[in-house]
Amino acid sequence: MISDVMGKKVFFVYPHSVIQNQLIQDLIDREYEVYFINDHSKVESICEYYTSPILFINIDEGLEEHEWEANIRILLEKESTNHARIGILTYNENAQLAKKYLMDLMVPCGFIKLKLGINESTKIIFKLLEANEVRGKRKYIRAKCSIDDASFNVAYNGTLCNGHIIDISSVGMAVTFDKPLEIPKNTYLKDLQLKLRGILLRVSAVVIGFRQIEGDKTVYVLLFDQYVSNQMKSRLRLFINKSLQHEMEKKLKII
């Protein structure tokens, strides 16, 4: 299993449209590592592979409700999966259904009735995530970037320099330049233009460190300055979330 010391992963299984369209940005803005899963056959593998994952399961889709009950019961009882924290999401207001999951199955992350409204549902989900210490010791979500997905340019000493982003978070990034450069620590780089899967963003940053890698390549670690707006950070987090979702989908094909 993968350790959760740097935070736990949150999975929404068959997420309702309100989760996909409204709640997701609030979750990633709070630096939660969130994934959408639209294949119930992968739920058991997720529970076995990751330590204490949080799964919010939409029992309105994917399987009949009695099938969900049987599957969730197995997950909660099986030794290799019972560490997972499961919650139920539904528009069904049947009191007996809620009693079954809360009292009989005793799902640890609650039975959330979405008809309460998105604001109330959001509050409940945030409280559950905080109670389960989902962020762990990690403050920011970081995504590794492929050469094709993330590049940048910046003017340095009168020359326009191009490079690639190795990884990125909402507070900084690690980069390499296409041509060898010597940039001192604490150098302020103004107006970096980032290209993230076609999305263009402009930021400024300070060089807080560097290290040599193979050949003559240098990796520079940049910290964004205080002028990066909240809106810009939200767009960065959305890119990070989509990058992680893409990697998760590839991983689920092999686990």
Side-chain angles (χ1 to χ4, degrees):
M1 274 187 262
I2 302 299
S3 171
D4 65 349
V5 67
M6 294 307 290
K8 301 169 186 174
K9 293 174 172 30
V10 180
F11 297 88
F12 286 87
V13 183
Y14 294 114
H16 295 81
S17 60
V18 70
I19 304 294
Q20 298 182 58
N21 299 331
Q22 297 183 47
L23 180 57
I24 181 61
Q25 191 65 56
D26 286 339
L27 287 165
I28 62 179
D29 277 342
R30 296 192 184 206
E31 299 288 344
Y32 287 116
E33 188 176 347
V34 181
Y35 299 94
F36 291 161
I37 304 299
N38 288 298
D39 183 353
H40 55 268
S41 70
K42 296 298 182 180
V43 170
E44 185 173 355
S45 297
I46 289 168
C47 294
E48 290 178 338
Y49 191 76
Y50 295 105
T51 302
S52 303
I54 312 294
L55 292 94
F56 290 103
I57 298 176
N58 169 14
I59 60 170
D60 301 336
E61 290 188 33
L63 295 171
E64 295 295 324
E65 189 280 317
H66 70 275
E67 294 176 303
W68 273 125
E69 178 192 348
N71 276 268
I72 291 169
R73 192 181 295 277
I74 291 170
L75 293 173
L76 294 172
E77 294 175 353
K78 192 175 178 182
E79 186 176 353
S80 62
T81 58
N82 62 12
H83 56 91
R85 313 290 289 176
I86 293 173
I88 306 301
L89 292 172
T90 180
Y91 278 106
N92 194 324
E93 295 187 289
N94 186 300
Q96 291 302 311
L97 190 67
K99 178 179 178 294
K100 177 172 65 177
Y101 283 98
L102 292 172
M103 305 302 292
D104 299 340
L105 274 70
M106 293 191 292
V107 290
C109 284
F111 186 95
I112 302 169
K113 300 176 184 178
L114 292 174
K115 281 194 176 179
L116 292 172
I118 187 59
N119 291 334
E120 188 62 31
S121 299
T122 297
K123 289 178 185 177
I124 295 170
I125 290 171
F126 283 153
K127 286 180 180 178
L128 287 165
L129 296 180
E130 288 295 328
N132 284 277
E133 300 180 327
V134 170
R135 279 186 289 247
K137 295 182 179 180
R138 178 195 61 212
K139 290 185 177 180
Y140 306 104
I141 302 297
R142 182 175 295 274
K144 293 182 179 179
C145 304
S146 71
I147 290 177
D148 295 332
D149 284 344
S151 60
F152 74 98
N153 64 64
V154 64
Y156 181 68
N157 285 344
T159 301
L160 186 65
C161 304
N162 298 297
H164 295 284
I165 302 170
I166 297 173
D167 60 55
I168 191 167
S169 74
S170 62
V171 296
M173 60 185 183
V175 306
T176 60
F177 287 90
D178 292 348
K179 296 180 180 179
L181 288 174
E182 292 186 9
I183 305 178
K185 186 177 179 180
N186 298 323
T187 298
Y188 182 64
L189 297 175
K190 185 179 180 181
D191 196 21
L192 289 121
Q193 298 187 54
L194 313 185
K195 187 176 182 180
L196 307 173
R197 286 199 189 133
I199 298 173
L200 299 178
L201 300 177
R202 298 175 71 171
V203 299
S204 297
V206 176
V207 177
I208 62 170
F210 51 84
R211 66 182 186 275
Q212 298 298 129
I213 55 174
E214 72 277 355
D216 58 354
K217 284 281 188 181
T218 301
V219 174
Y220 290 93
V221 180
L222 310 182
L223 183 68
F224 300 139
D225 67 14
Q226 70 270 29
Y227 300 110
V228 177
S229 68
N230 289 334
Q231 182 182 20
M232 194 76 72
K233 287 186 176 183
S234 287
R235 295 178 71 187
L236 280 170
R237 293 186 186 108
L238 188 59
F239 166 77
I240 292 164
N241 173 260
K242 289 181 177 179
S243 297
L244 292 174
Q245 176 75 32
H246 179 68
E247 290 304 309
M248 178 61 69
E249 289 170 0
K250 290 197 297 185
K251 185 176 292 182
L252 288 177
K253 292 179 180 179
I254 61 174
I255 67 171

